[in-house]
Amino acid sequence: MASSGPCVALINGEHCPLAEARVSVLDRGFLFADSVYEVIPVYDGRLFQLQAHLRRLQSSLDGIRLNNPHTDETWSELLNALVRANGSGDLALYLQVTRGAPAKREHRFPQDCRPTVVAFCQPRRNPSDAELEAGVSAIVREDDRWNRCDIKSTSLLPNVLASDEALTAGANEALLCRGDEVVEGASSNLFAVFGDTVVTPPLDHRVLPGITRDWVIGLAAQHAQPVTQRPVSRTELRQASELWLSSSTRELFPVTRLDDEPVGSGRAGTVWHQYRGWIQAALQSAS
Ligand code: PDD
């Protein structure tokens, strides 16, 4: 169900219209990207995998040495209230925690400064079967991000530039390489199919531990078809019969063109269809 509700934001515990939501220019999220974030999908008013997102939020906050401003229980109350204020429906909930807005701009951590908590919702549209079948295109490029990509930080300029490069090349995603290894997309995790083996790059400091990645790996295990977690080389990427992207806003999306060459048949592949069936069944039973 698409949301037709109002756009309401949460700023430090208060609701206000998103267009009127403001934070200070001294906020360290603005000045230093000194902040972390989450994007949580909402299906028909229900926050999906909330506990997993809150666990990753905690791990990102630990990574930047910032105390969590809320307990999981309070997060759940705040975020569910925000979803209701936005008319429920199918949404993507964005939340960000910054180190706050001290009186002075300086690099060192401020003392006695409360974190800023911002959240808002945007409509999320489920792709049509035809869109999924056609898939998206991707380019391959160097990964020039920092070395803590396991932290979901808002230092996203390299991701933004890579996405723009993809768009300029007529593609939808940039697959990022460190040396000969493909690690993930600019805003997604990567899966590759070789024969009947599904492979995804292993988690380390170069990869965001995607909630969708983890969920998909779990679904495959439940169906006794474990995903192999191992490095994928640039050369192998071109030999894959199927490539998929995973993210909270895109679920599991086929990549059917890579650097202007078709991937496999150039359409969503048979293994993807099998996974899609598992995903739809899991979403159905969660609703
Ligand atoms: N991005 N890798 C990167 C670099 C990402 O930015 C994302 C998601 C993922 C997938 O993670 P998850 O399955 O938890 O959404 C992997 C979000 C959607 C964004 O920045 O908008």
Side-chain angles (χ1 to χ4, degrees):
M1 198 203 306
S3 170
S4 55
C7 291
V8 176
L10 173 77
I11 307 278
N12 295 326
E14 304 287 329
H15 282 187
C16 71
L18 178 57
E20 290 166 25
R22 300 282 181 272
V23 294
S24 164
V25 294
L26 285 169
D27 196 285
R28 292 178 63 94
F30 175 68
L31 293 175
F32 297 114
D34 187 357
S35 64
V36 297
Y37 77 109
E38 282 293 324
V39 178
I40 311 175
V42 176
Y43 289 87
D44 203 9
R46 257 183 292 265
L47 286 152
F48 188 64
Q49 305 265 74
L50 176 61
Q51 289 316 313
H53 283 277
L54 292 179
R55 261 198 310 278
R56 185 174 62 186
L57 174 66
Q58 182 63 60
S59 150
S60 297
L61 288 166
D62 291 345
I64 68 162
R65 302 195 291 282
L66 179 58
N67 286 335
N68 194 332
H70 298 306
T71 61
D72 282 4
E73 200 181 6
T74 305
W75 275 120
S76 177
E77 280 164 20
L78 288 171
L79 300 182
N80 276 299
L82 184 66
V83 167
R84 284 193 299 276
N86 280 280
S88 298
D90 289 341
L91 304 166
L93 185 148
Y94 175 87
L95 93 82
Q96 182 175 348
V97 182
T98 87
R99 207 178 302 277
K104 190 173 170 211
R105 178 193 178 273
E106 57 183 349
H107 285 66
R108 66 180 179 196
F109 289 179
Q111 304 300 314
D112 304 326
C113 183
R114 275 195 338 202
T116 302
V117 175
V118 171
F120 57 85
C121 296
Q122 292 185 331
R124 188 183 54 78
R125 189 178 70 83
N126 291 310
S128 67
D129 287 346
E131 285 168 317
L132 287 164
E133 199 57 47
V136 293
S137 52
I139 59 165
V140 181
R141 79 189 286 289
E142 295 304 319
D143 189 351
D144 48 17
R145 299 174 299 164
W146 71 332
N147 267 322
R148 290 304 308 274
C149 297
D150 54 321
I151 298 174
K152 199 163 171 64
S153 109
T154 58
S155 308
L156 290 171
L157 193 52
N159 309 58
V160 167
L161 293 173
S163 298
D164 182 65
E165 211 176 294
L167 200 71
T168 304
N172 307 76
E173 181 61 303
L175 300 180
L176 305 176
C177 297
R178 302 252 180 172
D180 190 42
E181 279 180 43
V182 196
V183 289
E184 64 175 340
S187 61
S188 58
N189 290 114
L190 172 72
F191 290 81
V193 182
F194 303 103
D196 53 10
T197 306
V198 179
V199 175
T200 191
L203 293 183
D204 60 22
H205 62 281
R206 303 169 302 175
V207 180
L208 183 80
I211 305 300
T212 320
R213 173 189 181 279
D214 205 41
W215 181 53
V216 166
I217 290 173
L219 283 178
Q222 277 169 30
H223 290 85
Q225 292 192 30
V227 170
T228 304
Q229 299 185 51
R230 66 152 175 86
V232 176
S233 73
R234 284 180 193 239
T235 315
E236 275 185 300
L237 194 64
R238 307 201 182 278
Q239 294 160 351
S241 53
E242 300 180 29
L243 295 175
W244 317 326
L245 305 173
S246 70
S247 82
S248 294
T249 44
R250 286 190 276 201
E251 294 171 1
L252 194 64
F253 220 106
V255 175
T256 48
R257 292 190 75 78
L258 187 66
D259 285 337
D260 268 338
E261 296 289 328
V263 176
S265 65
R267 309 280 297 167
T270 50
V271 187
W272 177 82
H273 276 284
Q274 184 183 36
Y275 275 60
R276 174 80 185 149
W278 297 340
I279 286 171
Q280 282 180 310
L283 288 174
Q284 204 91 54
S285 66
S287 68

